[in-house]
């Protein structure tokens, strides 16, 4: 029997508490209906026996508090909501308990932005982690010692699991069903909950808004110039001359502030503009390519797929309604 502990943090997202409970109890039912014994013992555990969520609209009743759980096999850290610093402060008493369980051999699984709470334990330092793409910059700023993997839906590193944004944690839950039961049961759960079992990237869902949460004004001016003139050919030397900053210094400061090189940033801005055109216009691939400043068809298609995980035509077909008719 695998003991599963689902934490009930303050400021948690209710669905990310109930969904892991739902999938593992359902797998138990699937097994029992096939004449096999249940595998999972699922417990909801909080700092207190009752936790009010979503502005007190919902109350979650815990089966136990962390002080009553000496050991477990799997710890689930649900997604948090609201201001992350506030949420982490409210839930800091979970941290030593999570560390103790991991040291005792438990696997720890964060769902979506539950990665912030897992990272606060220090267990992720020097390891890989996923979280919601929208919170990537904030996560990197708060936890520079963690290697954030932007596009991955599932990340596993030394018994520490994390997932991409929002509902993508369902794919991590299916992965854990397959690992702890078998592929057949994971497929059955995927069909029951209507989940695409092979989805492994959140790249096509990501929206590039630019990384502006820094204090380097010169870099912000360079970013603004790129975003207003992305259709043109922009070079590092041009920006260096424009803002009277040495080429190497600008590159170093830009990378430090945005986590992208200048050329990477230009590509991301161009591809984001291309994505918007594919979503809303009837223009073909070549027309959009020229619109965003590319002249090499092969380079455009290669960069687009690297950033989004999809070819230009696949992206257009996925998100442009007119492409369906």
């Amino acid at each position: 029997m695998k003991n599963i502990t689902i934490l009930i943090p303050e400021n948690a997202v209710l669905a990310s508490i109930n969904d892991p409970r739902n999938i593992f109890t359902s797998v138990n039912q699937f097994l029992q209906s096939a004449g096999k014994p249940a595998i999972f013992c699922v417990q909801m555990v909080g700092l207190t026996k009752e936790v009010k969520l979503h502005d007190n609209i919902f109350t979650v009743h815990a089966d136990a508090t962390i002080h009553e759980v000496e050991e477990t096999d799997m710890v689930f850290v649900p997604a948090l909501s609201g201001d992350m610093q506030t949420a982490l402060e409210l839930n800091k008493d979970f941290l030593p308990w999570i560390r103790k369980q991991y040291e005792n051999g438990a696997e720890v699984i964060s769902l979506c932005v539950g990665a912030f709470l897992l990272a606060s334990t220090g267990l992720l330092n020097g390891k890989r982690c996923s979280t919601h793409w929208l919170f990537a910059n904030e996560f990197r700023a708060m936890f520079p010692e963690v290697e954030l993997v932007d596009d991955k839906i599932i990340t596993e590193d030394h018994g520490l699991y994390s997932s991409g944004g929002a509902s993508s944690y369902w794919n991590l839950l299916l992965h854990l069903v397959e690992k702890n039961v078998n592929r057949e049961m994971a497929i059955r759960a995927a069909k029951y909950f209507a989940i695409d079992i092979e989805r492994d990237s959140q790249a096509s869902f990501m929206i590039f808004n630019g990384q502006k949460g820094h204090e380097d004004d010169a870099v912000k001016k360079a970013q603004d110039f790129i975003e207003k003139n992305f259709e043109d050919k922009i070079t590092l030397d041009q920006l260096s001359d424009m803002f009277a900053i040495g080429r190497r210094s600008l590159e170093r400061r830009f990378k430090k502030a945005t986590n992208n090189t200048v050329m990477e940033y230009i590509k991301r801005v161009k591809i984001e503009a291309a994505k918007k055109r594919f979503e809303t216009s009837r223009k073909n691939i070549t027309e959009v390519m020229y619109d965003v400043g590319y002249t090499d068809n092969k380079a455009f298609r290669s960069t687009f797929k690297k950033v989004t995980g999809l070819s230009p035509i696949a992206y257009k077909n996925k998100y442009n309604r007119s492409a369906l008719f």
Side-chain angles (χ1 to χ4, degrees):
M1 184 73 73
K2 281 273 185 180
N3 292 308
I4 291 179
T5 298
I6 302 171
L7 301 184
I8 313 172
E10 299 287 339
N11 286 26
V13 176
L14 179 60
S16 65
I17 296 171
N18 188 55
D19 289 342
R21 183 199 65 81
N22 200 5
I23 195 169
F24 291 111
T25 55
S26 294
V27 168
N28 278 343
Q29 292 169 7
F30 299 155
L31 289 167
Q32 290 172 324
S33 67
K36 300 176 182 178
I39 286 180
F40 303 108
C41 176
V42 183
Q43 255 193 329
M44 314 278 279
V45 176
L47 296 174
T48 58
K49 281 296 185 72
E50 286 191 353
V51 183
K52 294 186 181 300
L53 300 175
H54 299 293
D55 296 323
N56 297 330
I57 295 175
F58 301 103
T59 300
V60 182
H61 299 274
D63 298 309
T65 67
I66 56 172
H67 306 293
E68 298 172 297
V69 179
E70 287 297 320
E71 60 181 5
T72 187
D73 298 306
M74 300 166 70
V75 177
F76 282 83
V77 183
L80 304 175
S81 63
D83 177 72
M84 286 297 120
Q85 291 282 12
T86 301
L88 294 180
E89 179 62 26
L90 289 171
N91 292 292
K92 63 183 180 182
D93 289 344
F94 277 117
L95 303 183
W97 184 87
I98 294 172
R99 285 194 294 267
K100 177 184 175 184
Q101 297 306 316
Y102 181 71
E103 289 164 2
N104 288 341
E107 295 179 315
V108 184
I109 302 100
S110 69
L111 306 180
C112 190
V113 289
F116 281 77
L117 188 56
L118 177 54
S120 295
T121 65
L123 295 173
L124 283 173
N125 289 352
K127 299 184 180 70
R128 300 166 73 248
C129 174
S130 298
T131 192
H132 196 300
W133 58 264
L134 185 62
F135 292 81
N137 295 336
E138 184 178 357
F139 186 93
R140 283 194 176 95
M142 291 178 67
F143 306 107
E145 295 182 10
V146 180
E147 182 188 348
L148 185 65
V149 186
D150 292 69
D151 63 325
K152 290 297 182 184
I153 280 181
I154 300 172
T155 303
E156 177 184 352
D157 199 334
H158 292 81
L160 299 169
Y161 299 78
S162 51
S163 74
S167 63
S168 64
Y169 62 66
W170 278 99
N171 293 87
L172 175 53
L173 298 177
L174 289 176
H175 172 74
L176 293 168
V177 170
E178 180 172 353
K179 179 179 178 181
N180 288 281
V181 189
N182 53 43
R183 176 74 173 178
E184 180 183 357
M185 190 56 64
I187 292 172
R188 179 167 179 182
K191 291 180 176 180
Y192 181 79
F193 291 103
I195 306 164
D196 180 0
I197 194 169
E198 296 301 339
R199 193 158 60 101
D200 64 357
S201 173
Q202 61 177 343
S204 68
F205 301 105
M206 296 168 72
I207 300 172
F208 185 70
N209 293 316
Q211 296 99 329
K212 303 288 180 64
H214 59 83
E215 303 302 323
D216 194 323
D217 290 336
V219 171
K220 285 182 180 177
K221 289 177 181 177
Q223 290 175 271
D224 288 339
F225 180 82
I226 292 168
E227 289 162 14
K228 291 174 183 175
N229 299 276
F230 64 85
E231 302 96 335
D232 303 326
K233 184 177 181 180
I234 302 171
T235 66
L236 182 57
D237 287 333
Q238 176 187 356
L239 294 173
S240 176
D241 292 340
M242 185 179 301
F243 299 106
I245 303 173
R247 191 177 188 276
R248 288 187 177 181
S249 179
L250 177 60
E251 186 74 292
R252 176 182 55 78
R253 287 167 61 177
F254 202 98
K255 177 73 173 179
K256 180 180 179 181
T258 71
N259 203 51
N260 288 124
T261 66
V262 172
M263 290 300 106
E264 286 170 347
Y265 196 88
I266 292 170
K267 288 179 181 178
R268 293 294 299 274
V269 171
K270 286 178 179 289
I271 296 305
E272 192 61 34
K275 286 163 59 180
K276 288 184 171 63
R277 284 164 173 76
F278 285 138
E279 291 164 8
T280 59
S281 78
R282 291 179 175 270
K283 290 186 175 182
N284 62 34
I285 308 300
T286 302
E287 288 172 322
V288 171
M289 177 187 76
Y290 284 121
D291 278 354
V292 300
Y294 273 90
T295 56
D296 184 324
N297 191 288
K298 183 178 179 181
F300 173 67
R301 291 172 185 270
S302 174
T303 302
F304 192 94
K305 187 165 186 178
K306 183 178 179 180
V307 172
T308 68
L310 297 172
S311 68
I313 190 63
Y315 188 92
K316 182 178 178 68
N317 290 340
K318 184 180 181 72
Y319 288 109
N320 190 311
R321 183 174 175 82
S322 65
L324 301 175
F325 301 96

